[in-house]
Coordinates of all heavy atoms in Angstrom, one line a residue:
P3 N -14.7 -11.1 3.6 CA -13.4 -11.8 3.5 C -12.4 -11.3 4.6 O -11.6 -12.1 5.1 CB -12.9 -11.3 2.1 CG -14.1 -10.9 1.4 CD -15.1 -10.5 2.4
G4 N -12.5 -10.0 5.0 CA -11.6 -9.6 6.0 C -11.9 -10.2 7.4 O -11.0 -10.3 8.2
V5 N -13.1 -10.7 7.6 CA -13.4 -11.3 8.9 C -12.6 -12.6 9.0 O -12.1 -12.9 10.1 CB -14.9 -11.6 9.0 CG1 -15.2 -12.5 10.2 CG2 -15.7 -10.3 9.1
L6 N -12.6 -13.4 7.9 CA -11.8 -14.6 8.0 C -10.3 -14.4 8.3 O -9.8 -15.0 9.2 CB -11.9 -15.4 6.6 CG -13.2 -15.9 6.2 CD1 -13.1 -16.5 4.8 CD2 -13.7 -17.0 7.2
E7 N -9.8 -13.3 7.7 CA -8.4 -13.0 8.0 C -8.2 -12.5 9.4 O -7.2 -12.9 10.1 CB -7.9 -12.0 6.9 CG -7.8 -12.7 5.6 CD -7.5 -11.7 4.5 OE1 -7.0 -10.6 4.7 OE2 -7.7 -12.1 3.3
R8 N -9.0 -11.6 9.8 CA -8.9 -11.0 11.2 C -9.0 -12.0 12.3 O -8.4 -11.9 13.3 CB -9.9 -9.9 11.4 CG -9.6 -8.6 10.8 CD -10.5 -7.4 11.3 NE -11.9 -7.7 11.2 CZ -12.6 -7.4 10.1 NH1 -12.0 -7.0 9.0 NH2 -13.9 -7.7 10.0
R9 N -9.9 -13.0 12.0 CA -10.1 -14.0 13.1 C -9.2 -15.2 12.9 O -9.2 -16.1 13.7 CB -11.6 -14.5 13.0 CG -12.6 -13.4 13.2 CD -13.6 -13.9 14.2 NE -14.5 -12.8 14.4 CZ -14.8 -12.4 15.7 NH1 -14.2 -12.9 16.7 NH2 -15.7 -11.4 15.8
G10 N -8.3 -15.2 11.9 CA -7.3 -16.3 11.7 C -8.0 -17.6 11.3 O -7.5 -18.6 11.7
I11 N -9.1 -17.5 10.6 CA -9.8 -18.7 10.2 C -9.2 -19.3 9.0 O -9.0 -18.6 8.0 CB -11.3 -18.4 10.0 CG1 -12.0 -17.9 11.3 CG2 -12.0 -19.6 9.4 CD1 -13.4 -17.4 11.1
R12 N -8.7 -20.5 9.1 CA -8.0 -21.2 8.0 C -9.1 -21.7 7.0 O -10.1 -22.3 7.3 CB -7.2 -22.3 8.5 CG -6.0 -21.8 9.4 CD -5.2 -22.9 10.0 NE -5.1 -24.1 9.1 CZ -4.7 -25.3 9.5 NH1 -4.5 -25.5 10.8 NH2 -4.6 -26.3 8.7
Y13 N -8.8 -21.5 5.7 CA -9.7 -21.9 4.6 C -8.9 -22.3 3.4 O -7.8 -21.9 3.2 CB -10.8 -20.9 4.3 CG -10.2 -19.6 3.8 CD1 -10.2 -19.4 2.4 CD2 -9.8 -18.5 4.6 CE1 -9.7 -18.2 1.9 CE2 -9.3 -17.4 4.1 CZ -9.3 -17.2 2.8 OH -8.8 -16.0 2.3
K14 N -9.6 -23.0 2.5 CA -9.0 -23.3 1.2 C -10.0 -22.8 0.1 O -11.2 -23.0 0.2 CB -8.9 -24.9 1.1 CG -7.9 -25.5 2.1 CD -7.9 -27.0 2.0 CE -7.1 -27.5 3.1 NZ -7.6 -28.7 3.6
Q15 N -9.4 -22.3 -0.9 CA -10.2 -21.8 -2.1 C -10.7 -23.1 -2.8 O -10.0 -24.1 -2.9 CB -9.3 -21.0 -3.1 CG -8.8 -19.8 -2.5 CD -9.9 -18.7 -2.3 OE1 -11.0 -18.8 -2.9 NE2 -9.6 -17.7 -1.6
T16 N -12.0 -23.1 -3.2 CA -12.5 -24.2 -4.0 C -12.5 -23.9 -5.5 O -12.8 -24.8 -6.3 CB -14.0 -24.5 -3.5 OG1 -14.8 -23.3 -3.9 CG2 -14.1 -24.7 -2.1
G17 N -12.4 -22.6 -5.8 CA -12.4 -22.2 -7.2 C -13.8 -22.1 -7.7 O -14.1 -21.9 -8.9
R18 N -14.8 -22.2 -6.8 CA -16.2 -22.1 -7.3 C -16.8 -20.9 -6.7 O -16.4 -20.3 -5.7 CB -17.0 -23.3 -6.7 CG -16.5 -24.6 -7.3 CD -17.3 -25.9 -6.9 NE -18.2 -25.8 -5.8 CZ -17.9 -26.3 -4.6 NH1 -16.8 -26.9 -4.3 NH2 -18.8 -26.2 -3.6
T19 N -17.9 -20.4 -7.3 CA -18.8 -19.3 -6.8 C -20.2 -19.9 -6.6 O -20.5 -20.9 -7.3 CB -18.7 -18.1 -7.6 OG1 -19.3 -18.4 -8.9 CG2 -17.4 -17.5 -7.8
G20 N -21.0 -19.2 -5.8 CA -22.4 -19.6 -5.7 C -23.2 -18.4 -5.6 O -22.8 -17.2 -5.4
T21 N -24.5 -18.6 -5.8 CA -25.5 -17.5 -5.6 C -26.2 -17.7 -4.3 O -26.7 -18.8 -4.0 CB -26.6 -17.6 -6.8 OG1 -25.8 -17.5 -8.0 CG2 -27.6 -16.5 -6.6
F22 N -26.3 -16.7 -3.5 CA -26.8 -16.7 -2.1 C -28.0 -15.8 -2.0 O -27.9 -14.6 -2.5 CB -25.7 -16.4 -1.1 CG -24.6 -17.3 -1.2 CD1 -23.5 -17.1 -2.0 CD2 -24.6 -18.5 -0.4 CE1 -22.5 -18.0 -2.1 CE2 -23.5 -19.4 -0.5 CZ -22.4 -19.1 -1.3
N23 N -29.1 -16.3 -1.4 CA -30.2 -15.4 -1.1 C -30.1 -14.8 0.2 O -30.0 -15.5 1.2 CB -31.5 -16.3 -1.2 CG -31.8 -16.8 -2.5 OD1 -31.7 -16.1 -3.5 ND2 -32.1 -18.1 -2.6
T24 N -30.0 -13.5 0.2 CA -29.9 -12.7 1.5 C -31.1 -11.8 1.6 O -31.9 -11.6 0.7 CB -28.6 -11.9 1.5 OG1 -28.7 -10.8 0.6 CG2 -27.4 -12.7 1.1
A25 N -31.1 -11.1 2.8 CA -32.2 -10.2 3.0 C -32.1 -9.0 2.0 O -33.1 -8.3 1.7 CB -32.1 -9.6 4.4
N26 N -30.9 -8.8 1.5 CA -30.8 -7.7 0.5 C -30.8 -8.2 -0.9 O -30.5 -7.5 -1.9 CB -29.4 -7.0 0.7 CG -29.4 -6.2 2.0 OD1 -30.4 -5.7 2.4 ND2 -28.3 -6.2 2.7
G27 N -31.3 -9.4 -1.1 CA -31.4 -10.0 -2.5 C -30.4 -11.0 -2.8 O -29.6 -11.5 -1.9
R28 N -30.3 -11.4 -4.0 CA -29.4 -12.5 -4.4 C -28.0 -11.9 -4.7 O -27.9 -10.8 -5.4 CB -29.9 -13.2 -5.7 CG -31.2 -13.9 -5.4 CD -31.8 -14.4 -6.7 NE -30.9 -15.3 -7.4 CZ -31.1 -16.7 -7.5 NH1 -32.2 -17.2 -7.0 NH2 -30.2 -17.4 -8.1
V29 N -26.9 -12.6 -4.2 CA -25.6 -12.1 -4.5 C -24.7 -13.4 -4.9 O -25.0 -14.5 -4.4 CB -24.9 -11.4 -3.3 CG1 -25.7 -10.2 -2.9 CG2 -24.9 -12.4 -2.1
R30 N -23.7 -13.1 -5.7 CA -22.8 -14.2 -6.1 C -21.5 -13.9 -5.2 O -21.1 -12.8 -5.0 CB -22.4 -14.1 -7.5 CG -23.6 -14.6 -8.4 CD -23.2 -15.0 -9.8 NE -22.2 -16.0 -10.0 CZ -22.4 -17.3 -9.8 NH1 -23.6 -17.8 -9.4 NH2 -21.4 -18.2 -10.0
A31 N -20.9 -15.0 -4.8 CA -19.7 -14.9 -3.9 C -18.9 -16.2 -4.1 O -19.4 -17.3 -4.4 CB -20.2 -14.8 -2.5
P32 N -17.6 -16.1 -3.8 CA -16.7 -17.3 -3.9 C -17.1 -18.2 -2.7 O -17.5 -17.8 -1.7 CB -15.3 -16.7 -3.7 CG -15.5 -15.3 -3.2 CD -16.8 -14.9 -3.5
I33 N -16.9 -19.5 -3.0 CA -17.1 -20.5 -1.9 C -15.7 -21.0 -1.5 O -14.9 -21.4 -2.3 CB -17.9 -21.7 -2.5 CG1 -19.3 -21.2 -2.9 CG2 -18.0 -22.8 -1.5 CD1 -20.1 -22.2 -3.6
V34 N -15.5 -21.1 -0.2 CA -14.3 -21.6 0.4 C -14.6 -22.7 1.3 O -15.8 -22.9 1.8 CB -13.5 -20.5 1.1 CG1 -13.1 -19.4 0.2 CG2 -14.2 -20.0 2.4
K35 N -13.6 -23.5 1.7 CA -13.8 -24.6 2.6 C -13.0 -24.3 3.9 O -11.8 -24.1 3.9 CB -13.3 -26.0 2.0 CG -13.7 -27.2 2.8 CD -13.4 -28.4 2.1 CE -14.0 -29.6 2.8 NZ -13.9 -30.8 1.9
L36 N -13.8 -24.3 5.0 CA -13.2 -24.1 6.3 C -12.8 -25.4 7.0 O -13.5 -26.4 6.8 CB -14.2 -23.4 7.2 CG -14.8 -22.1 6.8 CD1 -15.7 -21.6 7.8 CD2 -13.8 -21.1 6.4
D37 N -11.7 -25.4 7.7 CA -11.3 -26.6 8.5 C -12.4 -26.9 9.5 O -12.8 -28.0 9.7 CB -10.0 -26.4 9.2 CG -8.8 -26.4 8.2 OD1 -8.9 -26.9 7.1 OD2 -7.8 -25.8 8.6
S38 N -12.9 -25.8 10.1 CA -14.0 -25.9 11.1 C -14.6 -24.5 11.3 O -14.0 -23.5 11.1 CB -13.5 -26.5 12.4 OG -12.6 -25.7 13.0
L39 N -15.8 -24.5 11.8 CA -16.5 -23.3 12.2 C -17.2 -23.6 13.5 O -18.0 -24.6 13.6 CB -17.5 -22.8 11.2 CG -18.3 -21.6 11.5 CD1 -17.4 -20.4 11.6 CD2 -19.4 -21.3 10.5
A40 N -17.0 -22.8 14.5 CA -17.6 -23.0 15.9 C -18.4 -21.8 16.2 O -18.0 -20.7 16.0 CB -16.5 -23.2 16.9
V41 N -19.6 -22.1 16.8 CA -20.5 -21.1 17.4 C -20.7 -21.5 18.8 O -21.3 -22.6 19.1 CB -21.8 -21.0 16.6 CG1 -22.7 -20.0 17.3 CG2 -21.5 -20.5 15.2
G42 N -20.1 -20.8 19.8 CA -20.2 -21.2 21.1 C -19.5 -22.5 21.3 O -18.4 -22.7 20.8
D43 N -20.2 -23.5 21.9 CA -19.6 -24.8 22.1 C -19.8 -25.8 20.9 O -19.4 -26.9 20.9 CB -20.2 -25.5 23.3 CG -19.7 -24.8 24.6 OD1 -18.7 -24.1 24.6 OD2 -20.5 -24.8 25.6
W44 N -20.5 -25.3 19.9 CA -20.9 -26.2 18.7 C -20.0 -25.9 17.5 O -19.7 -24.8 17.2 CB -22.4 -25.9 18.4 CG -23.3 -26.0 19.6 CD1 -23.7 -25.0 20.4 CD2 -23.8 -27.2 20.1 NE1 -24.5 -25.6 21.4 CE2 -24.6 -26.9 21.2 CE3 -23.7 -28.6 19.7 CZ2 -25.2 -27.9 21.9 CZ3 -24.3 -29.5 20.4 CH2 -25.1 -29.2 21.5
Q45 N -19.6 -27.0 17.0 CA -18.6 -27.0 15.9 C -19.0 -27.9 14.7 O -19.5 -29.0 15.0 CB -17.2 -27.3 16.4 CG -16.1 -27.3 15.3 CD -14.7 -27.5 15.9 OE1 -14.4 -26.9 16.9 NE2 -14.0 -28.5 15.4
V46 N -18.7 -27.4 13.5 CA -18.9 -28.3 12.3 C -17.5 -28.2 11.6 O -16.9 -27.2 11.4 CB -20.0 -27.7 11.4 CG1 -20.0 -28.5 10.1 CG2 -21.3 -27.8 12.1
N47 N -17.0 -29.4 11.2 CA -15.8 -29.5 10.5 C -16.0 -29.6 9.0 O -17.0 -30.1 8.6 CB -15.0 -30.7 11.0 CG -14.6 -30.6 12.5 OD1 -14.2 -29.6 13.0 ND2 -14.8 -31.7 13.2
Q48 N -15.0 -29.2 8.3 CA -15.0 -29.3 6.8 C -16.2 -28.7 6.2 O -17.0 -29.4 5.6 CB -14.8 -30.8 6.4 CG -13.5 -31.4 6.9 CD -12.3 -30.6 6.4 OE1 -12.1 -30.4 5.2 NE2 -11.4 -30.3 7.3
L49 N -16.4 -27.4 6.4 CA -17.6 -26.7 6.0 C -17.4 -25.8 4.9 O -16.4 -25.0 4.9 CB -18.2 -26.0 7.2 CG -19.5 -25.3 7.0 CD1 -20.6 -26.3 6.9 CD2 -19.8 -24.4 8.2
E50 N -18.1 -25.9 3.8 CA -18.0 -25.0 2.7 C -19.0 -23.8 3.0 O -20.1 -24.0 3.4 CB -18.4 -25.6 1.4 CG -17.4 -26.6 0.9 CD -17.6 -27.1 -0.5 OE1 -18.6 -26.8 -1.1 OE2 -16.7 -27.8 -1.0
V51 N -18.4 -22.6 2.8 CA -19.2 -21.4 3.0 C -18.9 -20.4 1.9 O -17.9 -20.4 1.2 CB -18.8 -20.7 4.4 CG1 -19.0 -21.6 5.5 CG2 -17.3 -20.2 4.4
G52 N -19.9 -19.5 1.7 CA -19.8 -18.4 0.8 C -19.1 -17.2 1.5 O -19.4 -16.9 2.7
V53 N -18.2 -16.6 0.8 CA -17.5 -15.4 1.4 C -18.2 -14.1 0.8 O -17.8 -13.7 -0.3 CB -16.0 -15.5 1.1 CG1 -15.3 -14.3 1.7 CG2 -15.4 -16.8 1.7
L54 N -19.2 -13.6 1.5 CA -19.9 -12.5 1.0 C -19.3 -11.2 1.6 O -18.9 -11.2 2.8 CB -21.4 -12.6 1.5 CG -22.3 -13.6 0.8 CD1 -21.9 -15.0 1.1 CD2 -23.7 -13.3 1.1
D55 N -19.3 -10.2 0.8 CA -18.9 -8.9 1.3 C -20.0 -8.2 1.9 O -21.0 -7.9 1.3 CB -18.4 -8.1 0.1 CG -17.8 -6.7 0.5 OD1 -17.9 -6.4 1.7 OD2 -17.2 -6.0 -0.3
L56 N -20.0 -8.0 3.2 CA -21.0 -7.4 4.0 C -20.9 -5.9 4.1 O -21.6 -5.2 4.9 CB -21.2 -8.0 5.4 CG -21.4 -9.5 5.3 CD1 -21.4 -10.1 6.8 CD2 -22.7 -9.8 4.7
G57 N -20.0 -5.3 3.3 CA -19.8 -3.9 3.4 C -19.1 -3.4 4.6 O -18.3 -4.1 5.2
D58 N -19.5 -2.2 5.1 CA -18.9 -1.7 6.3 C -19.6 -1.9 7.6 O -19.5 -1.2 8.5 CB -18.7 -0.1 6.1 CG -20.0 0.6 5.8 OD1 -21.0 -0.1 5.7 OD2 -20.0 1.8 5.7
R59 N -20.4 -3.0 7.6 CA -21.2 -3.4 8.8 C -20.2 -4.0 9.9 O -19.9 -5.2 9.9 CB -22.2 -4.4 8.4 CG -23.3 -4.0 7.4 CD -24.3 -3.1 8.1 NE -24.9 -3.6 9.3 CZ -26.0 -4.2 9.4 NH1 -26.8 -4.4 8.3 NH2 -26.5 -4.6 10.6
A60 N -19.8 -3.2 10.8 CA -18.9 -3.6 11.8 C -19.6 -4.5 12.8 O -19.0 -5.2 13.6 CB -18.3 -2.4 12.5
D61 N -20.9 -4.4 12.9 CA -21.7 -5.2 13.8 C -22.0 -6.6 13.4 O -22.6 -7.4 14.1 CB -23.0 -4.5 14.2 CG -23.9 -4.2 13.0 OD1 -23.4 -4.1 11.9 OD2 -25.1 -4.2 13.1
I62 N -21.6 -7.0 12.2 CA -21.9 -8.3 11.7 C -20.6 -9.0 11.2 O -19.9 -8.4 10.4 CB -22.9 -8.2 10.5 CG1 -24.2 -7.7 10.9 CG2 -23.1 -9.6 9.8 CD1 -25.2 -7.4 9.8
D63 N -20.3 -10.2 11.7 CA -19.2 -11.0 11.2 C -19.6 -11.9 10.1 O -18.7 -12.3 9.3 CB -18.5 -11.8 12.3 CG -17.7 -10.9 13.2 OD1 -17.3 -9.8 12.9 OD2 -17.3 -11.4 14.3
G64 N -20.8 -12.3 10.0 CA -21.3 -13.2 8.9 C -22.7 -13.6 9.1 O -23.4 -13.2 10.1
L65 N -23.1 -14.5 8.3 CA -24.5 -15.0 8.3 C -24.4 -16.5 8.4 O -23.7 -17.1 7.6 CB -25.2 -14.6 7.0 CG -25.3 -13.2 6.6 CD1 -25.9 -13.0 5.2 CD2 -26.1 -12.4 7.6
L66 N -25.1 -17.1 9.4 CA -25.1 -18.5 9.6 C -26.1 -19.1 8.6 O -27.3 -18.7 8.5 CB -25.6 -18.9 11.0 CG -24.5 -19.1 12.0 CD1 -25.1 -19.5 13.3 CD2 -23.4 -20.0 11.6
G67 N -25.7 -20.1 7.8 CA -26.6 -20.7 6.8 C -27.0 -22.1 7.3 O -26.6 -22.6 8.3
M68 N -27.9 -22.6 6.5 CA -28.4 -24.0 6.8 C -27.3 -25.0 6.6 O -27.4 -26.1 7.3 CB -29.6 -24.3 5.8 CG -30.8 -23.6 6.2 SD -31.4 -23.8 7.9 CE -31.7 -25.5 8.0
N69 N -26.2 -24.8 5.9 CA -25.1 -25.7 5.8 C -24.5 -25.9 7.2 O -23.9 -27.0 7.5 CB -24.1 -25.3 4.8 CG -23.5 -24.0 5.1 OD1 -24.1 -23.1 5.7 ND2 -22.3 -23.8 4.6
F70 N -24.6 -24.9 8.1 CA -24.1 -25.1 9.5 C -25.3 -25.6 10.3 O -25.1 -26.5 11.1 CB -23.6 -23.8 10.0 CG -23.1 -23.8 11.4 CD1 -21.8 -24.2 11.7 CD2 -23.9 -23.5 12.5 CE1 -21.3 -24.3 13.0 CE2 -23.5 -23.6 13.8 CZ -22.2 -24.0 14.0
L71 N -26.4 -24.9 10.2 CA -27.5 -25.2 11.2 C -28.1 -26.6 11.0 O -28.6 -27.1 12.0 CB -28.6 -24.1 11.0 CG -28.2 -22.7 11.4 CD1 -29.3 -21.7 11.0 CD2 -28.0 -22.6 12.9
R72 N -28.0 -27.2 9.8 CA -28.6 -28.5 9.6 C -28.0 -29.6 10.5 O -28.5 -30.7 10.6 CB -28.6 -28.9 8.1 CG -27.2 -29.2 7.7 CD -27.2 -29.8 6.3 NE -25.8 -30.1 5.9 CZ -25.4 -29.8 4.7 NH1 -26.1 -29.3 3.8 NH2 -24.1 -30.1 4.4
H73 N -26.8 -29.3 11.0 CA -26.1 -30.3 11.9 C -26.7 -30.3 13.3 O -26.3 -31.1 14.1 CB -24.6 -29.9 12.0 CG -24.0 -30.1 10.7 ND1 -23.5 -31.3 10.2 CD2 -23.7 -29.2 9.7 CE1 -22.9 -31.2 9.0 NE2 -23.0 -29.9 8.7
F74 N -27.7 -29.4 13.6 CA -28.2 -29.3 14.9 C -29.7 -29.1 14.9 O -30.3 -28.8 13.8 CB -27.6 -28.0 15.6 CG -26.2 -28.0 15.5 CD1 -25.5 -27.2 14.6 CD2 -25.4 -28.7 16.4 CE1 -24.1 -27.2 14.5 CE2 -24.0 -28.6 16.4 CZ -23.4 -27.9 15.4
Q75 N -30.4 -29.3 16.0 CA -31.7 -28.8 16.2 C -31.5 -27.4 16.7 O -30.7 -27.1 17.5 CB -32.5 -29.6 17.2 CG -32.8 -31.1 16.8 CD -33.6 -31.8 17.8 OE1 -34.2 -31.2 18.6 NE2 -33.5 -33.1 17.7
F76 N -32.3 -26.5 16.1 CA -32.1 -25.1 16.5 C -33.5 -24.4 16.7 O -34.5 -24.8 16.1 CB -31.2 -24.3 15.5 CG -31.8 -24.2 14.1 CD1 -32.5 -23.1 13.8 CD2 -31.6 -25.2 13.2 CE1 -33.1 -22.9 12.5 CE2 -32.2 -25.1 11.9 CZ -32.9 -23.9 11.6
F77 N -33.4 -23.3 17.5 CA -34.6 -22.5 17.7 C -34.1 -21.0 17.7 O -33.1 -20.7 18.3 CB -35.2 -22.8 19.0 CG -36.3 -21.8 19.4 CD1 -37.6 -21.9 18.8 CD2 -36.1 -20.8 20.3 CE1 -38.5 -20.9 19.1 CE2 -37.1 -19.9 20.7 CZ -38.3 -20.0 20.0
I78 N -34.7 -20.2 16.9 CA -34.4 -18.8 16.8 C -35.5 -18.0 17.5 O -36.6 -18.0 17.0 CB -34.2 -18.3 15.3 CG1 -33.1 -19.1 14.7 CG2 -34.0 -16.8 15.3 CD1 -33.0 -18.9 13.2
D79 N -35.1 -17.3 18.5 CA -36.1 -16.4 19.2 C -35.8 -15.0 18.7 O -34.8 -14.3 19.2 CB -35.9 -16.5 20.7 CG -36.9 -15.6 21.5 OD1 -37.4 -14.6 20.9 OD2 -37.1 -15.9 22.7
Q80 N -36.5 -14.5 17.8 CA -36.3 -13.2 17.2 C -36.5 -12.0 18.1 O -35.8 -11.0 18.1 CB -37.1 -13.0 15.9 CG -36.6 -13.9 14.8 CD -37.4 -13.7 13.5 OE1 -38.5 -13.1 13.5 NE2 -36.9 -14.2 12.4
N81 N -37.4 -12.2 19.1 CA -37.7 -11.2 20.1 C -36.5 -10.9 21.0 O -36.3 -9.8 21.4 CB -39.0 -11.5 20.9 CG -40.2 -11.4 20.0 OD1 -40.3 -10.7 19.1 ND2 -41.2 -12.3 20.3
E82 N -35.8 -12.0 21.3 CA -34.7 -11.9 22.2 C -33.4 -11.9 21.5 O -32.3 -11.9 22.1 CB -34.7 -13.1 23.2 CG -35.9 -13.1 24.1 CD -36.0 -12.0 25.1 OE1 -34.9 -11.6 25.6 OE2 -37.0 -11.4 25.4
A83 N -33.4 -12.0 20.1 CA -32.1 -12.1 19.3 C -31.3 -13.2 19.8 O -30.1 -13.1 20.1 CB -31.4 -10.8 19.3
L84 N -31.9 -14.4 19.9 CA -31.2 -15.6 20.5 C -31.3 -16.8 19.6 O -32.4 -17.1 19.1 CB -31.9 -15.9 21.9 CG -31.3 -17.0 22.7 CD1 -29.9 -16.6 23.2 CD2 -32.3 -17.2 23.9
L85 N -30.2 -17.5 19.5 CA -30.2 -18.8 18.8 C -29.8 -19.9 19.8 O -28.8 -19.8 20.5 CB -29.1 -18.7 17.7 CG -28.8 -20.1 17.0 CD1 -30.0 -20.6 16.2 CD2 -27.5 -19.9 16.1
R86 N -30.7 -20.9 19.8 CA -30.4 -22.1 20.7 C -30.1 -23.3 19.8 O -30.9 -23.6 18.9 CB -31.6 -22.4 21.6 CG -32.0 -21.3 22.6 CD -33.2 -21.8 23.4 NE -33.9 -20.7 23.9 CZ -33.7 -20.2 25.2 NH1 -32.7 -20.8 25.9 NH2 -34.3 -19.2 25.6
L87 N -29.0 -23.9 20.1 CA -28.6 -25.1 19.4 C -28.5 -26.3 20.3 O -28.1 -26.2 21.5 CB -27.2 -24.9 18.8 CG -27.0 -23.8 17.8 CD1 -25.5 -23.7 17.4 CD2 -27.8 -24.1 16.5
T88 N -29.0 -27.4 19.8 CA -28.9 -28.7 20.5 C -28.4 -29.8 19.5 O -28.6 -29.6 18.3 CB -30.2 -29.2 21.2 OG1 -31.2 -29.3 20.3 CG2 -30.6 -28.2 22.3
G89 N -27.8 -30.8 20.0 CA -27.4 -31.9 19.1 C -28.5 -32.6 18.5 O -29.6 -32.7 19.1
N90 N -28.3 -33.1 17.3 CA -29.4 -33.9 16.6 C -29.6 -35.2 17.3 O -28.8 -35.9 17.8 CB -29.0 -34.1 15.1 CG -29.6 -33.0 14.3 OD1 -30.5 -32.3 14.6 ND2 -29.0 -32.8 13.1

């Protein structure tokens, strides 16, 4: 939640929560609606996201989910820690 505030990301409460599968197991979190979310030059408007508490991990701002990635063709190179996005 603090990342949204620190980055000045505008959002609206939906009043809903969801269950999310993460590497650390299943967690419940509130769902909010963002005006937009951009990664590099790629942007998705009116996106609902879960606001998960990632603890004190200063090296992580969030997790990209399929609700964002499905708007693009993507390739993840785990060896190089690289995400490549192209338009559908």
